[in-house]
Amino acid sequence: MTIVKGFKRLFVSEGGELQEVIEGHKMSLKRRCEHVTEGTHEAGSGTLLNKIYTELYITEGQSEEVDTQHEVRQLERTSKKNIQDTPIKCQDIFKVLSEQQRHIRVVLTNGVAGVGKTFSVQKFSLDWAEGLENQDISLVLPLSCRELNLIRDEQHSLLSLLHVFHPTLQKIRAEDLTVWKLLFIFDGLDESRFSLGFNKHQVISDVTQVSSVDVLLVNLIQGNLLPSALIWITSRPAAAHQIPPSCVDRITEVRGFTDSQKEEYFRRRFSDEDLSKRIISHIKASRSLHIMCLIPVFCWITAIVLEDMMTRDQRGELPQTLTDLYSHFLRKLTKADKKLLLKLGRLAFEHLEKGNIMFYSEDLERCGLDVSEVSVYSGVCTEIFKRESVIFQKSVYCFVHLSVQEFLAAVFMFHRYTRKDTAVINKFLEYSEPIRFSWFVGLYNNDPVTSLDDFLRRALMKSLKSENGHLDLFVRFLHGLSLKSNQRILGGLLDQMESHPETIQKVLNNLKEVNSDEISPDRSINIFHCLMEMKDQSVHQEIQEFLKSEKKSERELSEIHCSALAYLLQMSEEVLDELNLRQYNTSEEGRRRLIPAVRNCRKVDLTHYFCFIYNRLAGDVLSKSHWEVVASAMTSNPSHLRELSLSWNQSLTDADVKLLSSAMMHPNCRLETLRLRHCSLSETSCDYVASALKSNLSHLRVLDLSDNPLQDSGVKRLCSGLESPNCKLERLRLINCSLSEISCDSLASALRSNPSYLRVLDLSGNQLKDPGVKLLCGFLQDPLCELETLRLLGCSLSETSCDSVASALKSNLSHLRVLDLSFNTLQDSGVKRLCSGLESPNCKLERELDLSQNQLQDSGVKLLSDLVKNPHYGLETLRHGWW
């Protein structure tokens, strides 16, 4: 066994006693980690981890901002992420991989439920315990947050905490902890019932000092307590924000299985090669199953169902939808009676609404479950907590995966509907705001449920109003359970209903007619998924035909078509070059539902011009939820978005601009062009945009803030970004922004500080007047100025400005190629002054000069004409007349 020299000397000095402690701990840890149960917890049911372990795809960095969408939706996006990212093996999680990285002390690992975070922890711990990896670490100390919850009201020192959770370490002393290299693993932060207060807490630096468990955790993570100790925290994405970024040295993401790893999992699980091939083939044929198999636990569920169906005399079709699969899974795995299963369903449902994914004995008892019954029941409910210490007289329970909890919750609620349990149904459907259907004004919470279609419609309404989509999959399962085929699979668990074809058709029609204009477009996609769970392929087929058609603009799309199209475009392997909402023949609501497709596009135009097609004023068309989707597209991994046009969206608030600017500072963002014309932006928005320009992560090259009342104060704030050495903006347009000569002073000053990138500056439509132009022309003569295009259309300029411009053109430092002075009050005398600069051998104005819509007479026009005829002067375009 490899042991670092200093560690070996310590052993010798202690007469080998400490070495025995370490060896005992390794043996204990090996026993805990070498077997896995893959969901079941029967005596002898464990499988050797090394026999089935398939390498997971783990990457460095955070994929995007905190994602509050349902984790199934996150999985769909994960399936699209860049497979070229450099993977990290779990054994290398603390190793410095490049010269740029410093010592890594705290690692935060994100991943959706069941994706393999705990398996990674087990594999790391097992390899260490067997002497295979990371032998420079003295002690690996896993501390499950589920276990820590059980003593959340107790007081402990760090030393006593280790004695309690790892009894083999009873003999270690406080001084041992300070000289050893320790690794603390806090697995499942999302399951923690602690409140981690990083801002206000007691500072602890002594391993014998007693405090609450949450305070010990915070001090460990911050480095106040055992600053040399390594910390590894795993969490689902929505809970990871509890750890301040300043405390974390490396963020990693467990993305589950790649396509090749999925196949390896099934090959390793089944010795029958033909069976594994058939299962892999079926999964590939079903997109929803293939996506879900990113999760190892879902692979296990799929394997159980398909192995059973393929190895016995099975004449029915193999499962195509999630409801199909879970119905077969429940029938195959459960050995409990109907009453027990429905009690578990009640537990699943009540805690799904609360957002809980783990339960204690008292939670079970409240649902009428006898703990001794559940301990025998091996399939769906698992006893996670093992009694390895005398203090743990409580067991912890959870479902093998969140989706199983959601399915059982749906089974319970559907059973309550068939039994006409109005108390449970009405409590669930309590609702304050109705969601409109295109043919119905709304439904209110005091209306009784009258039919199956009414029940499903109102359940959908409630799920759509959820901010984090926690009921999305639950509602999909409800719709799938309305089919007789799935009711038959579940046997006697659900009372057989009289689901007449006309009733089912009414449910389908309802889904196709939902008006969700107040709902996030990501939420709306779940309506399409509900259709698919009911095995209605019509919308999917119609969209496939639409994508193949050559005359797309002639085909009218309904709202549900747009949800389906947004989903398919988002999931397509091919990145769309451009998404322009105006190109689609649909309603405004339909266009809003298309917005999620921005995640898979290079150029996106969400300009709100289409309001004027219907002769209506622009209103609050896009809301916060829509901008959140756009920000998500900017920060996704990989982000394809390069050009974004949001002009004429007057509902865009300062808070929305802050959201978008923060997205531009994200390391994944590659946005190069941003257009925000006529969005009623204030000077506060300029602060946020300036922050993005200051960021060394910004790729922005083109910025258009025209037709916003920024005023001089707003431009001054914007200039704080322009003058940053990190700003690499090449084109800036501030047309009609209520600017005066004061803004010219601010711009000239800022551009002198960082002059080498800007190529195009358009300040048309502002009252800059002659003093303002003089300031700008001074900048043109800066040795580092590379400005090639200057547009000053309609800026109230007189002949005096022509003197300033002429001076700049005479300078051998000016790079100006295009000059627009149209719509001003220039006269012939001004042209004469201008020509003195145009005739200079230093003048490089060769592409365009626009003097149209000025007060030029014959003499001024002749001067310009003679200039153009001069063979030594190569001006490509000259405009000087009245249109």
Side-chain angles (χ1 to χ4, degrees), residues 511-529:
L511 290 170
K512 295 174 183 179
E513 295 173 358
V514 176
N515 183 323
S516 59
D517 58 356
E518 299 174 1
I519 305 302
S520 161
D522 275 326
R523 292 270 74 71
S524 301
I525 286 177
N526 204 50
I527 304 170
F528 170 63
H529 286 308

Side-chain angles (χ1 to χ4, degrees), residues 1 133 187 199 202 217 241 254 310 339 375 478 507 527 545 585 639 719 806 831:
M1 183 174 294
E133 299 282 351
D187 188 26
N199 296 324
Q202 177 187 7
L217 263 62
H241 68 280
V254 181
M310 289 181 175
K339 289 183 179 180
S375 65
L478 274 183
V507 174
I527 304 170
E545 293 172 4
N585 182 11
S639 177
C719 285
V831 172

Side-chain angles (χ1 to χ4, degrees), residues 205-217:
S205 57
D206 187 339
V207 297
T208 63
Q209 188 174 349
V210 174
S211 184
S212 60
V213 179
D214 59 317
V215 170
L216 293 178
L217 263 62

